[in-house]
Amino acid sequence: MSAAPAYNEDKGGSAGPGEPEYGHDPASGGIFSSDYKRHDDLKAMLDTNKDSLKLEAMKRIVAMIARGKNASDLFPAVVKNVACKNIEVKKLVYVYLVRYAEEQQDLALLSISTFQRGLKDPNQLIRASALRVLSSIRVPIIVPIMMLAIKEAASDMSPYVRKTAAHAIPKLYSLDSDQKDQLIEVIEKLLADKTTLVAGSVVMAFEEVCPERIDLIHKNYRKLCNLLIDVEEWGQVVIISMLTRYARTQFLSPTQNESLLEENSEKAFYGSEEDEAKGPGSEEAASTALPTRKPYVMDPDHRLLLRNTKPLLQSRSAAVVMAVAQLYFHLAPKAEVGVIAKALVRLLRSHSEVQYVVLQNVATMSIKRRVSTGPRPALVVQQGMFEPYLKSFYIRSTDPTQIKILKLEVLTNLANETNIPTVLREFQTYIRSMDKDFVAATIQAIGRCATNIGRVRDTCLNGLVQLLSNRDELVVAESVVVIKKLLQMQPAQHGEIIKHLAKLTDNIQVPMARASILWLIGEYCEHVPRIAPDVLRKMAKSFTAEEDIVKLQVINLAAKLYLTNSKQTKLLTQYVLSLAKYDQNYDIRDRARFTRQLIVPSEQGGALSRHAKKLFLAPKPAPVLESSFKDRDHFQLGSLSHLLNAKATGYQELPDWPEEAPDPSVRNVEVPEWTKCSNREKRKEKEKPFYSDSEGESGPTESADSDPESESESESKSSSESGSGESSSESDNEDQEEDEEKGRSSESEQSEEEGKKKKMKKRKKVPEGQEGGSSSDEGSDSSSSSSESEMTSETEEEQVEPASWRKKTPPSSKSAPAAKEVSLLDLEDFTPPSVQPVSPPTVVSTSLAADLEGLTLTDSPLVPSLLSPVSGAGRQELLHRVAGEGLAVDYTFSRQPFSGDPHMVSVHIHFSNSSDTPIKGLHVGTPKLPPGISIQEFPEIESLAPGESTTVVMGINFCDSTQAANFQLCTQTRQFYVSIQPPVGELMAPVFLSENEFKKEQAKLTGMNEITEKLTLPDTCRSDHIVVQKVTATANLGRVPCGTSDEYRFAGRTLTSGSLVLLTLDARPTGAAQLTVNSEKMVIGTMLVKDVVQALTQ
Amino acid sequence: MIHSLFLINSSGDIFLEKHWKSVVSRSVCDYFFEAQERATEAENVPPVIPTPHHYLLSVYRHKIFFVAVIQTEVPPLFVIEFLHRVVDTFQDYFGVCSEPVIKDNVVVVYEVLEEMLDNGFPLATESNILKELIKPPTILRTVVNTITGSTNVGDQLPTGQLSVVPWRRTGVKYTNNEAYFDVIEEIDAIIDKSGSTITAEIQGVIDACVKLTGMPDLTLSFMNPRLLDDVSFHPCVRFKRWESERILSFIPPDGNFRLLSYHVSAQNLVAIPVYVKHNISFRDSSSLGRFEITVGPKQTMGKTIEGVTVTSQLPRGVLNMSLVPSQGAHTFDPVTKMLSWDVGKINPQKLPSLKGTMSLQAGASKPDENPTINLQFKIQQLAISGLKVNRLDMYGEKYKPFKGIKYMTKAGKFQVRT
């Protein structure tokens, strides 16, 4: 090894290590011929049988390649070793091959058979690397072989090999673009892949080969959104930018009347979609539903994208953060864009190159757009997104100049009426910096602030005038230029400044500044009638020595003076014009000729000269000092093109929002595809059981889904959410799940379905028995019953043969997952309707469609009103009538989802006025809340007449703790301190689980997460009915079907964190019972056990 | 995506090149050299340089320019982030990333680069995975390899590649199981002339060194997690648990890694542990200026301030300085006009000071700017934000690991304007 560098160095000959090597063509004959003989020993080493010698030789050769030396004459000797047993030699040979195969195509063909053999190797690493090298050697003749290899690898068992196949696609495409159609097929196939490993690579291939085939994404859109968090960083960047483009073509702009987030239309809209899927029979239903879609409703898929990308703002990779930021900037409703500011500011702590790019983007984002342009409403940035972070953009003397200037740009953009004093004070210190380029930029920034903010214009102007006495000429010159622009805005008042500037012409040498002064004097010569001619006199004297730009302005000044004050300046002007006539620069000669014709009345052409005054002294609009970033926003942020402010090769324009949203149903996933996949997946699973986890659709915010707790999350979600049951393919008890699926969607249903509905009605009585539950509505019952019916249907269906159900499934299960999706998305994004129509009247028919509709509604997993009798706690007093001086306030936990924020517990507050005067202006005063807890206040009650009472709803996010929320109730005259402490059972919402899911989840939540308590049920409490009632009264849980009669199961999720809470009660006929609670949240679990035991034993 | 990579040292030699697609001639770097010349200072070279057919994206670290050549539109941060990752990987492999080290290990470097990108798209960038594919060179391994003829290239696919925890290799074994966490906070501050704080923020990181057998699942909780305003995580941290419970729950990578970086919310007032008294004045008439700095402790929570260094870039007009420090040593470079004073520990009883005169260019008018003073310091066993780790628990493995937490506060970009 030690010989290697030495060898290389003297081999290098003419290009020794110390010499600059750049520009040295590695292929040039010079070194080559002198080295020719030296390569003989390498050849000899490669020809030996000893691996160590071969390795040594290869290492030297690779070192040569790395240093840019030509080693191509060794090709025959190296290629022989392609079949070498030693894996390192082999690898290095691959490296060599990839580098030189292009140059020696014929010889390279010798190695192909080795790779073809490698493609069949049992070791996946070898398969993958064979494919990698095969696809990397750019020899057109092997295109068919490559195509074949890619196709084969695309259906390889190993996801790693499939990933390599995805990488090979763009390679082949760049070699032979005629293969596009075939490659698209492969891409389509790989896009359907569910592994995080493949996702990034295949999207990259998609972007390079067929970015226009957006239709390929539809089916995979939701999957990609859900996988996103688990994809590696590089893949995330590519996927996010692809999805940004996708969303721009598929969704409506969120900024068009975004306030109207209406739930009902949302529902109808979805209903229509299902109908469509079922064929023409339900066309009418669709058409009736469509008109209700008028107000803008964000497509749930659009929301899904926004929600799933948001956690990535916390990524350690700057590229990912930037990608998400641009996605939000381009896609999110105005109100939500703000979340990206913090993350972007964080990136400013990173390496200076990262800062550079981020600041460029922040500069664009922070520009205030005065006019909101019609066609690109999304680009109207929420103002002040970065304002809270103003200080993060303050400049340090150690920043590189390019960073300083960008920060300055951002500071200028952020300056407004309120913060301008601080910004100007900062600028003042910058002006004294040693970095003169930066000082110049600061002066311009001051100028921009002065034009944008009228209030400080005079202050700025004074400051700039003071700078005119600065010793540094650059500073003075820059100030002059800026002052000129400012003066144009209000010239009348600034005669003094103009005089001051006129004096400067003696000293200042910077041409731009001189030109600016001359222009100013010319333009406002009537304000300085005495000085102007004198300046012209001086300038005429030095005319020949001036720069071109100054000369032009001298001519200009002369012309203007001639027009206003011809008596004094006629001769001077003529002198200047004659000088200019013989100038070297043709621009100046032209200008002189032109000016002379205009101002000096000649015999024939009087027409123009009569208007000369108008031409020269027309009032000119004041310049607008604008950011250089003002028109960058038509480039996609974060892109190279944006950074360069020029279209880069291969840049794809971000499309405008469509006027009409394209059909959203295209994203619904069809089932046949799924069954296919699941089969393949299953096979794979046997080989790599570990791997299968990553395929799971983990929760949107999970970063690692292998751990038991989070898996429980993701599993439960995956089985319920994001359609098509694709996730079920991974679960071990897949078959059971399939049975279930079958149970849900089989066709024997018609009658069974009706049976269900009947059961529903029967069930209704159960919860009502408790506390006159005003809010226990139909929806809630139906869901509880659905769980029952689920169970029965399941058992019924078990006998059906798999083959038969598979045949039957497609039509029905297609709609079932879609409908599930609805409820999921609804719940998390929008305010869920408090009352769920069991089946809308229009849909109640004997058709299959209607049945499915009913079905989906009943078994929608997360419908919040599953079982919602009013809380067991009943009405509780918040404020006693005496303490409240006549105002009595009670509260109940309504157990309805709080509209606006699904994490909030909705609390009904009843006010009644028992005094004899009306109480006015009831509202919530500034709450002092423990960290994490937040309150959504109820709208102010203007007046409550004596004797009257009213009920309002407020939402409290207790953050999964039983800490009390303290706040003030204020009337116009008084303030009352009140506090609401939730029973632990109110911190959760019911969730639907099947028995199997329940068991699976429970199995994951063992150990510390399991709390068990033994108890004896009193006689009064032994019937099913009572037990269920008592449990549900204590905790807001949903019943889970159960095979055995003396076991009761309930499931729910905590509101804030969404962790599962599973409750099992095993009651013996004797009265002995065991209560088990499984929850990730141990505190909640413990408290819940206590509460339930108390409720049951009392 | 990334077409080629050139490594250029500060004297303008291209000492390594790697191409992932067809070869791009070195001459493309001429555009880079042009820009480098124009920028005068290395850090002012624009990170993105457009040329007629290519775009050059570069990062500058360890006195080496890493120049990536790309041909088509690609998010610039994607490339820049990748280049930084390359540097980090080299550092991880060889301990330092410098020109001689890269030259010595050119084959390993080349192999690593080969694995990191495929056709210009990142393939394996986790150092845990890379180290299984290509073992980092150690003296022992080099000896063993020469004797046994074995290689440092792995022949199996790294298990991490396929698992859901790609950052951790499987089958890790240690005799001593240890997990160390360093909470390091940096204060970024700008202090104005009068000593009042213009801006101050605390940025922190938690660097971990975890050497645990098997697949441990760790949770780290804080006494006061609300302090953390903005966080970014290593991919191993479960975001959901953090969101809901403010607990860091993760399966750690093997070895050293940065678990978390955070920003302490801006509302909290930042304690500034040091103050600087300064009296720097130039007189118009004479060619002498007065220079006087005293550094003292302010809010240090009873801890000593160590490793104090004061640097200052003086105006060009200053020819030389004759200064007397009360402790430590100082240097002044008359060419770059950089003054640096290595103070060491601050003893509150006897405050360190640096006094003396500056000789200015005769006849030149007094410089109109005053130098800014940059400060470096360290305080051991203190997280200035008050952040405290509550406990560290391990699940999934039976043994009892040794756990350690260390706190440290440092000056980040700490500037005093005068």
Side-chain angles (χ1 to χ4, degrees), chain A residues 17-22 59 62-63 65-68 86-88 91-92 95 99 102 123-125 132 138 159-160 163 167 171 197 204 208 233-234 237-238 311 314-319 322 342 346 349 351 353-357 391-392 394-398 400-402 426 429-430 432 434 470-471 638-641 643-644 648-651 688 690-691 693-694 701-707 709 713 717 931 1057 1080-1081, chain B residues 1 12-14 16-17 21-23 26 30 33 43-48 50 55 58-61 70-78 80-82 84-85 106-107 110-111 114-115 117-119 121-123 125-126 149 151-153 155-157 161-164 186 188-190 193 198-199 201 203 217 226 229-235 237-241 244-245 251 313 316 365-366 368-369 372 374 395 413 415 417-418:
Chain A
E19 282 173 49
E21 285 175 296
Y22 85 87
K59 279 187 171 169
V62 168
I65 297 174
R67 303 184 56 184
N86 183 309
I87 195 145
E88 188 164 16
K91 264 213 156 145
L92 294 175
V95 166
R99 171 69 178 75
E102 212 171 352
N123 183 339
Q124 48 180 342
L125 183 64
R132 243 184 100 183
R138 292 165 290 273
Y160 185 70
K163 182 188 175 78
H167 279 267
K171 295 187 212 169
L197 203 58
M204 188 269 303
E208 291 213 2
E233 296 148 307
W234 314 107
V237 176
V238 177
Q314 245 73 49
S315 170
R316 67 169 169 174
S317 159
M322 191 64 232
K342 199 187 262 182
R346 183 182 69 231
R349 280 275 299 170
H351 300 286
E353 296 88 6
V354 176
Q355 285 185 40
Y356 177 79
V357 178
K391 287 189 172 174
S392 304
Y394 280 7
I395 294 155
R396 290 159 207 280
S397 59
T398 42
T401 311
Q402 47 186 353
E426 254 319 277
T429 50
Y430 300 162
R432 300 192 305 155
M434 286 174 230
N470 194 296
R471 262 186 302 272
S639 66
L640 183 63
S641 306
L643 190 89
L644 298 170
T649 332
Y651 173 72
K688 287 234 154 282
F690 198 31
Y691 176 63
D693 272 350
S694 73
T701 48
E702 229 5 267
S703 62
D705 55 357
S706 66
D707 55 308
E709 305 103 304
E713 289 274 344
K717 250 195 203 142
S1057 63
E1080 220 176 286
K1081 302 265 187 182
Chain B
M1 295 242 156
D13 294 341
I14 304 171
L16 190 125
E17 62 179 65
K21 298 185 182 182
S22 331
V23 177
R26 282 181 170 215
D30 293 353
F33 295 126
E43 55 188 7
N44 269 330
V45 178
V48 182
Y55 303 95
S58 63
V59 306
Y60 180 67
R61 277 178 75 182
I70 59 168
Q71 267 188 328
T72 49
E73 167 70 47
V74 62
L77 273 183
F78 184 94
I80 288 170
E81 182 79 25
F82 175 78
H84 281 300
R85 202 61 67 80
V106 67
V107 175
Y110 210 77
E111 284 173 325
E114 180 77 27
E115 287 301 331
L117 282 185
D118 181 14
N119 194 35
F121 189 79
L123 193 62
T125 49
E126 280 295 336
T151 66
N152 50 3
V153 171
D155 60 348
Q156 279 297 321
L157 187 64
Q161 267 282 325
L162 293 179
S163 76
V164 284
E186 294 194 353
D188 287 356
I190 302 177
K193 216 176 192 150
I198 292 181
T199 152
E201 19 179 47
Q203 314 274 353
D217 195 336
R226 300 276 160 209
D229 177 40
D230 183 36
V231 279
S232 72
F233 303 114
H234 189 275
V237 177
R238 296 179 184 110
F239 183 72
K240 206 155 198 186
R241 292 270 321 256
S244 59
E245 300 164 67
I251 294 173
Q313 170 79 53
R316 251 159 299 178
S365 49
K366 74 164 189 163
D368 51 6
E369 72 269 6
T372 44
N374 294 304
Y395 305 98
K413 297 173 183 165
Q415 287 203 338
R417 292 175 177 167
T418 62

Side-chain angles (χ1 to χ4, degrees), chain A residues 827-901:
Chain A
L827 201 120
E828 305 214 2
D829 306 330
F830 306 104
T831 53
S834 50
V835 178
Q836 289 261 343
V838 172
S839 43
T842 45
V843 208
V844 177
S845 71
T846 48
S847 75
L848 177 66
D851 271 327
L852 285 166
E853 180 87 1
L855 174 74
T856 51
L857 278 168
T858 47
D859 76 7
S860 32
L862 291 172
V863 167
S865 42
L866 274 180
L867 228 195
S868 22
V870 171
S871 158
R875 275 200 182 206
Q876 301 208 346
E877 190 165 76
L878 192 60
L879 186 65
H880 190 261
R881 145 173 83 80
V882 178
E885 298 176 18
L887 177 70
V889 187
D890 293 339
Y891 67 94
T892 50
F893 291 96
S894 66
R895 292 200 172 174
Q896 285 169 359
F898 183 69
S899 50
D901 186 349

Side-chain angles (χ1 to χ4, degrees), chain A residues 109 188 566 965 1059-1060:
Chain A
L109 293 179
E188 194 170 3
S566 61
S1059 345
L1060 272 184

Side-chain angles (χ1 to χ4, degrees), chain A residues 194 677-685 695 729:
Chain A
K194 289 179 190 59
C677 295
S678 81
N679 286 343
R680 206 186 66 213
E681 230 64 78
K682 229 190 289 175
R683 207 167 27 123
K684 193 191 322 153
E685 195 180 318
E695 295 176 13
S729 58

Side-chain angles (χ1 to χ4, degrees), chain A residues 935-948:
Chain A
I935 282 188
Q936 177 70 49
E937 296 158 14
F938 54 85
E940 180 170 329
I941 300 170
E942 280 181 6
S943 169
L944 194 63
E948 213 176 285

